[in-house]
Amino acid sequence: MAPAPAPPLVTPPKLVATDLDGTLFRSDGTLSRRTRAAPASAEGGAGIRVVLVTGRPPRSVPDLLERVGPHTVIAANGAAVHSPDGTVAHAFPLPAAEATRLVEHVRAAIPGVSFAVEFDGAFGHEPAFPAWSSGDEAVELIGTAEEILAPGSGRAPLKILAHHPDLPLDAFYAQARHAAGPDAETTHSTGLSLVEFSAPGVTKATTLITFSGRLGIGTQEIAAFGDMPNDLPVLGAVGSSYAMANAHPDVLAAARHRAPSNDEDGVAQVLEGFVDTITRRAPLTA
């Protein structure tokens, strides 16, 4: 039996942060008409700022804005902030030397690992890195990670991905996190054997809180939705956290509230409750 929608908060949030894959998007990658309409209604009709917070890279942002609508996007697990028109407002890359050292440490600790690197608008990977991970977008750079990250290239890496063909995800993640140590933020989000690295101190949460602070919005005035471990920092940092019914067990355990699944337009259901609460409280005008 599907869970009932969470009741509206007594005080609706001033900002909503939502993950995309497994959260706003349905399991087949589509976006329903209802779910596309809900963020627009929240921003335009109720004054709730909506921010898309995703592990997807900057090169995917134009397509996301076309599909979802003109909202602020925090991409690459917090490494880049895009304005609603798609332009990059802020970026938090890994310094090239630190990125190369990270690759060397992980490669030495986990034989068989291969790497890919996300830049602002570009993507490169090692020959052994699986092609399915990059979708249909054109790959601009192929070589060793050390070559792709070579000093003097003028490219600032925003996220490094690692893949292992044999290790189960939990074991691979634990080994990769240990090998990276304090040189990077380490997480995973796909359920596949992919581990993601960002600059130290850069997560979805740190970037969201910095962004919301510039708007004068406090953490207790934010509601967030997520389904995977890379959403945990955000869910732990905001006033109202929602795990999708289809979420990873760690996310279900950490969130304060439960939303219906992504295939049931769960985010839209909760947003509609926020908008309804605000609309009912609005004073009547003559």
Side-chain angles (χ1 to χ4, degrees), residues 62-145:
D63 177 65
L64 292 176
L65 292 175
E66 183 176 345
R67 294 178 63 193
V68 184
H71 305 285
T72 297
V73 180
I74 295 176
N77 289 330
V81 180
H82 293 253
S83 299
D85 64 1
T87 57
V88 178
H90 305 282
F92 309 98
L94 283 131
E98 293 182 15
T100 300
R101 183 170 63 247
L102 167 69
V103 166
E104 291 172 347
H105 288 174
V106 175
R107 198 190 299 280
I110 313 174
V113 69
S114 60
F115 295 93
V117 184
E118 294 283 2
F119 302 96
D120 178 13
F123 175 69
H125 69 76
E126 296 187 324
F129 197 82
W132 49 256
S133 66
S134 60
D136 295 327
E137 295 94 346
V139 176
E140 299 183 10
L141 308 162
I142 299 178
T144 68

Side-chain angles (χ1 to χ4, degrees), residues 102-103 105-107 110 112-118 123-126 128-130 132-133 145 159-165 167 169 172-173 175-177 179-180 186-190 192-198:
L102 167 69
V103 166
H105 288 174
V106 175
R107 198 190 299 280
I110 313 174
V113 69
S114 60
F115 295 93
V117 184
E118 294 283 2
F123 175 69
H125 69 76
E126 296 187 324
F129 197 82
W132 49 256
S133 66
K159 185 171 73 168
I160 296 176
L161 300 96
H163 173 263
H164 199 282
L167 286 174
L169 176 58
F172 180 36
Y173 170 67
Q175 293 181 40
R177 184 176 182 182
T186 307
T187 190
H188 63 92
S189 63
T190 66
L192 303 170
S193 199
L194 287 175
V195 174
E196 306 169 36
F197 305 98
S198 302

Side-chain angles (χ1 to χ4, degrees), residues 189-230:
S189 63
T190 66
L192 303 170
S193 199
L194 287 175
V195 174
E196 306 169 36
F197 305 98
S198 302
V202 174
T203 68
K204 288 183 175 184
T206 58
T207 302
L208 174 66
I209 299 310
T210 299
F211 173 79
S212 63
R214 292 192 181 105
L215 301 177
I217 296 174
T219 57
Q220 294 303 308
E221 299 173 303
I222 301 173
F225 297 82
D227 74 307
M228 289 298 285
N230 67 332

Side-chain angles (χ1 to χ4, degrees), residues 1 8 14 17 23 42 57 79 89 97 123 126 131 134 136 140 166 168 177 208 232 256 279 282 284:
M1 182 175 180
K14 292 184 178 179
T23 301
F123 175 69
E126 296 187 324
S134 60
D136 295 327
E140 299 183 10
D166 302 316
R177 184 176 182 182
L208 174 66
L232 287 170
R256 299 177 183 86
T279 301
L284 297 176

